[in-house]
Structures are given as C-alpha cells and as structure tokens.
Amino acid sequence: GAGVSQSPSNKVTEKGKDVELRCDPISGHTALYWYRQSLGQGLEFLIYFQGNSAPDKSGLPSDRFSAERTGGSVSTLTIQRTQQEDSAVYLCASSFDFGSGNTIYFGEGSWLTVV
Amino acid sequence: AQSVTQLGSHVSVSEGALVLLRCNYSSSVPPYLFWYVQYPNQGLQLLLKYTTGATLVKGINGFEAEFKKSETSFHLTKPSAHMSDAAEYFCAVSQYNFNKFYFGSGTKLNVKP
C-alpha cells in the first residue's frame, strides 16, 4: 500500500479482555516496528521484526504482550487481559531495511482505551 | 547504548520568530539522526535525517538541523515560525546495522499569533 496502515484506528475495551492490533506495512518493507505512546509520554519501543522473525522483544512490557508477523508483511500485536495502564496509542512503522540510516515510516496509530 | 534527550517538553514562540528545538544524544558509534513531527491525531512524519556527509541537513517545511559531533547535538531550527508548525517534534537516533530507533520524549511547539 501507499503507507503504513493500522487497524483499528480506535478501540475501547473492557479491562481483562484481549485485543489485537493490526499493522500492514509499506509494500516491500522488510523491517517492521511497534512503538507505544502513552499520554504525554514519548515513544516506547516494543518490538521489531526483520522479515518474520523478531530478534529483539526486549521492549515488550510484560508477557501479556505478544506480536507476530506472517509472510513478511502484516503484523499483529496482541495484548491479553488488558489493564488500564495499557491505554495508549500503538504506533507501527516500517522501513526498507533495518539499520543503514533508512527512514522508518509510521502509521497513524491505534488508539487503545481500556475501561 | 543509545539515548536521546530533548530539552524542554514545551516550547512557545511567536509567529515569525526563530524556532529552536534542542536534541542531544549519546552514542558509542557515529549515529544516524532524525527529526520527526507529529501533528494532532496523526502519525509521525519524517522532517529530516542525517546519515553521513554534510552536517547541516535541510528538511521539509523550512526546517533544518546541524549535526555537531563535538557537542553530541542535533538541534532543529527554522528561521521564521508559522502557525502551521504547531505540533510535537521528536528527535531519534539509530546506528548503522542497528535496528532500534531511540526516540526522545518529544517537544511540543506552540506558535502564538
């Protein structure tokens, strides 16, 4: 696609429910990143994928968070048993190749509210 | 390890005045440096980036930034602020063959008429 596409754009869920956030990167981009932006906070790195593998999962806040990527394209971030502190904007980004100073392009984010 | 510090979470300037947003980084190897802008309810857009070569980098919307290795800085400037520049600005650093981008905490720019 023309840009990074994320869905849903807005999600309100009850505490304890599971949510899935989807990211469709720019066509041909091999690297895919997930970041979290909490209200008034900066960007918190969660995980990145090179192809389908995730060499660095160190940013995932807890074992309730998981992510996968299939076919080197679409990625899903899953949050199990959501808590109120999970409320944030979840931003996905992609780039042609990791490193090398290549630009990462962001989607518009999925706004998650846990009530 | 890399880190990025943006001084001032909020900066306010008058329309037509100089914009200066500060960014300092720490890196054990030569970094790649970026500035992104986030308009309300939107994702992040690249303003400009430094990888190699000329240390003064020009970006979109009249912004520019200068990489100063001795000061480990990459401050963002614009000679004359416009109302449409009101947004949040993020500085980021990565390094060659390193796949993680480190972002600063952001600076919200307010432009007064």
Side-chain angles (χ1 to χ4, degrees):
Chain A
V4 178
S5 178
Q6 292 188 246
S7 62
S9 55
N10 279 285
K11 176 74 176 179
V12 180
T13 190
E14 292 181 351
K15 178 181 174 181
K17 300 282 189 182
D18 297 352
V19 296
E20 283 190 353
L21 308 177
R22 176 189 166 104
C23 174
D24 199 344
I26 293 172
S27 179
H29 280 192
T30 56
L32 185 147
Y33 309 78
W34 283 100
Y35 287 84
R36 179 168 71 174
Q37 186 177 25
S38 302
L39 187 62
Q41 302 295 313
L43 288 159
E44 177 187 4
F45 170 83
L46 298 178
I47 189 171
Y48 95 95
F49 289 89
Q50 181 60 28
N52 290 335
S53 65
D56 187 352
K57 304 178 183 179
S58 62
L60 294 175
S62 74
D63 58 9
R64 295 186 296 104
F65 286 73
S66 63
E68 65 175 15
R69 189 180 186 194
T70 55
S73 181
V74 172
S75 175
T76 303
L77 177 69
T78 302
I79 309 172
Q80 295 178 309
R81 305 180 302 280
T82 52
Q83 304 294 313
Q84 287 185 329
E85 62 262 28
D86 299 335
S87 296
V89 180
Y90 290 82
L91 291 166
C92 179
S94 69
S95 69
F96 232 134
D97 192 5
F98 73 92
S100 305
N102 274 327
T103 302
I104 59 173
Y105 296 88
F106 284 85
E108 301 213 340
S110 290
W111 295 66
L112 175 66
T113 304
V114 182
V115 297
Chain B
Q2 320 260 348
S3 70
V4 181
T5 302
Q6 290 184 240
L7 290 176
S9 59
H10 291 80
V11 170
S12 186
V13 300
S14 297
E15 192 173 20
L18 171 72
V19 176
L20 171 61
L21 305 182
R22 299 178 185 273
C23 173
N24 288 87
Y25 67 91
S26 66
S27 175
S28 56
V29 296
Y32 295 135
L33 297 157
F34 305 78
W35 275 100
Y36 282 83
V37 60
Q38 186 178 33
Y39 297 103
N41 301 320
Q42 294 186 25
L44 279 74
Q45 302 173 32
L46 179 71
L47 266 182
L48 49 79
K49 70 177 183 181
Y50 167 80
T51 54
T52 59
T55 56
L56 181 63
V57 181
K58 295 186 185 297
I60 61 172
N61 301 337
F63 284 92
E64 60 183 37
E66 186 171 11
F67 168 53
K68 292 188 177 181
K69 184 178 178 181
S70 61
E71 299 178 6
T72 61
S73 69
F74 192 57
H75 301 330
L76 182 70
T77 60
K78 181 174 180 177
S80 177
H82 192 273
M83 296 297 291
S84 61
D85 295 327
E88 189 160 18
Y89 293 79
F90 291 90
C91 182
V93 62
S94 72
Q95 66 186 69
Y96 177 75
N97 208 31
F98 191 74
N99 38 49
K100 193 181 293 186
F101 287 73
Y102 291 89
F103 284 84
S105 56
T107 299
K108 287 188 177 176
L109 176 65
N110 178 45
V111 182
K112 299 175 291 186

